[in-house]
Amino acid sequence: MKTKALVLDLDDTLYSELDYLKSAYKFIASKISENPSDLFIQMFMQYKQGVNVFYNLSKDYKVDISILLDWYRFHEPKIQLYPDVLEILLDFSHIYKFALITDGRSKTQRNKISALGIENFLESLVISEEIGSEKPNCQNYERVMKDLNCDQYIYIGDNLKKDFITAKSLGWITVCLKDQGQNIHKQNFSVDEEFHAHHYFESWVEIRQFLAQESIN
């Protein structure tokens, strides 16, 4: 019987959220422009410059911002897992039960999970809109514990403001995947010690080595 759990964050942990943004921009460009490739490049350049992309689109293409936001949030994204994530799910499935805790809209997050092809690995899935609370609320983490009933929990995330503080208070081992310069939300390492993870790694290759060691402890 598996008594260890591997609990995962989603955005900028399992995949690059910037890729989701690009996917949404391409989808929106295809809906409103006869030259979607050119419009996508323009949109992405504006994003990098800090320009309000949707305001400009609404003005230039006479599309309500609420419609643009719905297209962004609810399209079926073209995204993929970071290297080594799938191998970890496959190789450690006989050791760990897998769960995922993520904040966001139900349809948006479920579309991402479906696009990544990981739903069948998960024995517990906690989405903030569905449970009515966001991380770091204890309820989100306790739901996983109720679902899995394991002796040990390892949590992997990227957001120091909310991912690790509650997990640590529950006795979980916490792991932070460090930003390689692409994260939508930049990491702030100046937070108080209670918000920090136990371990920090540069890549999933390093996390895989760590999990291999933990699995035999």
Side-chain angles (χ1 to χ4, degrees):
M1 180 179 178
K2 291 181 286 189
T3 59
K4 297 176 183 286
L6 187 60
V7 187
L8 307 163
D9 174 50
L10 178 61
D11 299 312
D12 276 332
T13 296
L14 297 185
Y15 80 102
S16 171
E17 192 173 2
L18 190 63
D19 286 346
Y20 181 87
L21 178 143
K22 291 177 180 178
S23 172
Y25 280 8
K26 288 177 181 177
F27 176 79
I28 292 169
S30 72
K31 299 281 286 186
I32 63 177
S33 174
E34 295 181 355
N35 299 295
S37 296
D38 291 342
L39 179 57
F40 165 74
I41 293 172
Q42 176 184 326
M43 292 167 67
F44 191 63
M45 289 180 61
Q46 289 178 354
Y47 163 77
K48 293 176 69 176
Q49 294 165 356
V51 175
N52 189 325
V53 176
F54 289 166
Y55 173 80
N56 285 346
L57 288 179
S58 179
K59 180 181 64 175
D60 295 341
Y61 290 88
K62 311 305 179 189
V63 180
D64 193 273
I65 289 179
S66 64
I67 294 175
L68 296 172
L69 287 171
D70 281 349
W71 285 342
Y72 185 96
R73 293 166 177 161
F74 305 128
H75 81 290
E76 296 182 2
K78 293 179 172 57
I79 53 178
Q80 59 185 5
L81 295 167
Y82 282 135
D84 278 85
V85 173
L86 180 58
E87 289 78 2
I88 287 172
L89 294 175
L90 292 169
D91 292 349
F92 291 100
S93 61
H94 64 294
I95 298 171
Y96 294 103
K97 294 181 180 181
F98 299 120
L100 190 147
I101 304 176
T102 181
D103 289 343
R105 294 170 176 80
S106 177
K107 182 173 176 59
T108 301
Q109 301 307 83
R110 286 186 176 274
N111 280 350
K112 295 173 183 176
I113 292 165
S114 177
L116 295 172
I118 59 173
E119 56 265 74
N120 291 335
F121 289 101
L122 303 174
E123 296 187 46
S124 178
L125 172 58
V126 179
I127 300 175
S128 62
E129 185 179 68
E130 297 177 1
I131 197 173
S133 62
E134 296 184 349
K135 294 181 288 186
N137 192 299
C138 198
Q139 180 181 352
N140 300 55
Y141 298 80
E142 289 177 341
R143 173 64 66 87
V144 169
M145 297 176 75
K146 181 180 178 181
D147 289 344
L148 301 188
N149 191 29
C150 288
D151 297 326
Q152 182 193 73
Y153 294 83
I154 299 175
Y155 181 83
I156 304 175
D158 71 286
N159 191 328
L160 280 79
K161 292 181 179 179
K162 63 180 182 177
D163 275 340
F164 309 118
I165 183 171
T166 302
K168 287 170 67 177
S169 74
L170 293 170
W172 295 15
I173 298 168
T174 55
V175 174
C176 179
L177 178 65
K178 295 180 72 173
D179 179 13
Q180 299 303 303
Q182 296 294 316
N183 285 19
I184 292 283
H185 304 290
K186 300 306 177 185
Q187 291 173 328
N188 178 15
F189 293 100
S190 64
V191 295
D192 293 341
E193 180 61 32
E194 61 184 336
F195 289 91
H196 277 271
H198 293 108
H199 305 279
Y200 289 86
F201 297 109
E202 302 284 343
S203 70
W204 276 94
V205 174
E206 294 181 2
I207 292 176
R208 184 176 185 177
Q209 294 169 349
F210 169 78
L211 293 174
Q213 182 62 42
E214 284 295 316
S215 68
I216 61 177
N217 290 340

